[in-house]
Amino acid sequence: MSESIAHHDEHRDDEGSKLGIWLFIFTELLFFGGLFVTYAVYRHAHPQAFHMAAQQLDVAVGTINTVILLISSMTIAMATTAIQKKDKGTTLILIGITLVLALVFLVNKYFEWGSKINHGIWPGSPLLDELGKGDTLFFALYFFMTGLHALHIIIGMVLIAVILVRVRKGKITHDNFQLLENGGLYWHLVDLIWIFLFPLFYLIT
Amino acid sequence: MSDTTHHIVSYRTYALILLLLLVLTATSVAVTQIELTRWATIVALLLASTKSAIVLAIFMHLKFDQTVYKVMTIFVVLVIIAVIVLTFFDYGFR
């Protein structure tokens, strides 16, 4: 009985917590929405340069990273199911897989950016100055938007690592898993943004 | 605590949804690699929108959550669409 009283004293508002993360997700959607509008306007202004520049991106790497993020979204979603089924072991494994996939995504991104920089393409590089305004805009947006997205991946990894530790310590349980669900929601947002970055930069040439 | 009745989504559902998302991804890659017309752009964006709707509905639980989350999400999406449309009313006719 004393435990249930202690439970009541602990101030907890799961629904409010979830509403909070959703409001944050909305600000993020509007933030990236603004960047997508910027991309669309410049693409409209420089169709030929954007067409040529987009062909230089590696569709294979983009596709692999899309698949990685989709799988990681599924594993973090499954972790919420596992914790509700009181299956701590599976929860930890699923969260662990999500973290590894996030890391693989970043490693791919590192090599992708590295190869662009090796070819003389980085914001403000002499080669881009030579190529002109359209290419400069395309690659500035490419580095800024994928970089900002990668920053979200890093923040997501920190958040998921915290969740992993809390599940291990038994602080996140089958009747107290809102942090895990919120972390999952944030991770799906990162996935959502990539779902649009991928066709806009890699597929549509 | 009984006010928060959580819908437990099965592993099977999540796996099937992932499969669907992968098929849609493969389709968008195929469409844009083969055809180089204006349609490829529209198809790729429609597929991306479909994928995000699926992620929002199942992975992000909007389908099982209270209606208020759905309403807010639709509102935000409409705001973004409105901004894009209004911007192109300007840039499209210059």
Side-chain angles (χ1 to χ4, degrees):
Chain A
M1 267 287 115
S2 65
E3 201 201 324
S4 82
I5 291 166
H7 213 75
H8 263 280
D9 283 338
E10 175 200 354
H11 184 77
R12 219 178 99 196
D13 182 358
D14 287 352
E15 205 59 39
S17 171
K18 186 160 79 184
L19 183 62
I21 192 80
W22 270 106
L23 289 177
F24 173 68
I25 286 170
F26 294 147
T27 68
E28 290 273 70
L29 289 177
L30 292 169
F31 177 34
F32 274 92
L35 290 169
F36 283 126
V37 173
T38 311
Y39 170 91
V41 166
Y42 283 138
R43 170 154 215 131
H44 181 78
H46 306 275
Q48 200 54 37
F50 269 55
H51 171 70
M52 301 301 283
Q55 283 181 337
Q56 295 183 41
L57 293 187
D58 194 334
V59 177
V61 177
T63 309
I64 290 166
N65 268 353
T66 305
V67 172
I68 288 170
L69 272 196
L70 288 175
I71 296 172
S72 75
S73 248
M74 180 197 70
T75 52
I76 196 89
M78 279 180 168
T80 311
T81 301
I83 199 91
Q84 281 172 289
K85 289 184 172 177
K86 304 180 188 177
D87 188 347
K88 189 174 164 182
T90 311
T91 310
L92 288 171
I93 292 169
L94 287 166
I95 297 173
I97 295 172
T98 310
L99 269 180
V100 171
L101 290 171
L103 190 67
V104 174
F105 180 95
L106 284 182
V107 169
N108 281 343
K109 197 94 260 169
Y110 168 81
F111 284 114
E112 199 192 349
W113 275 30
S115 104
K116 285 284 153 296
I117 290 165
N118 275 336
H119 285 92
I121 294 170
W122 65 84
S125 75
L127 177 65
L128 280 183
D129 278 349
E130 246 171 69
L131 287 170
K133 211 172 165 186
D135 289 77
T136 305
L137 285 167
F138 178 87
F139 282 106
L141 284 167
Y142 162 76
F143 278 109
F144 185 67
M145 290 174 79
T146 60
L148 194 66
H149 180 263
L151 181 67
H152 280 76
I153 297 259
I154 294 167
I155 295 167
M157 285 177 75
V158 173
L159 180 63
I160 292 168
V162 169
I163 290 168
L164 184 78
V165 171
R166 294 196 136 233
V167 172
R168 247 182 82 106
K169 284 185 176 168
K171 285 184 180 163
I172 293 175
T173 54
H174 70 97
D175 60 354
N176 185 9
F177 59 89
Q178 195 55 47
L179 185 65
L180 171 58
E181 201 178 327
N182 286 354
L185 285 171
Y186 176 83
W187 194 250
H188 299 310
L189 162 77
V190 173
D191 193 15
L192 272 186
I193 295 163
W194 185 260
I195 285 175
F196 282 97
L197 284 179
F198 172 58
L200 287 177
F201 281 99
Y202 296 81
L203 290 184
I204 302 164
T205 58
Chain B
M1 292 292 143
S2 59
D3 57 326
T4 49
T5 42
H6 267 91
H7 179 98
I8 302 183
V9 184
S10 69
Y11 294 131
R12 204 183 121 84
T13 306
Y14 283 139
L16 287 174
I17 290 300
L18 174 68
L19 200 67
L20 180 59
L21 289 169
L22 291 177
V23 169
L24 290 173
T25 305
T27 312
S28 67
V29 173
V31 166
T32 46
Q33 293 309 101
I34 296 162
E35 239 190 305
L36 291 164
T37 58
R38 221 193 173 93
W39 286 102
T41 309
I42 295 165
V43 171
L45 287 177
L46 279 177
L47 285 170
S49 307
T50 310
K51 279 162 73 183
S52 5
I54 295 167
V55 169
L56 282 162
I58 311 295
F59 284 171
M60 297 175 88
H61 303 145
L62 277 186
K63 193 184 166 200
F64 318 106
D65 262 336
Q66 292 178 46
T67 323
V68 63
Y69 296 103
K70 266 175 249 172
V71 173
M72 287 192 298
T73 307
I74 291 168
F75 177 73
V76 170
V77 171
L78 288 178
V79 167
I80 294 172
I81 292 172
V83 170
I84 293 171
V85 170
L86 288 174
T87 306
F88 275 89
F89 266 125
D90 182 355
Y91 281 95
F93 296 105
R94 279 190 186 191

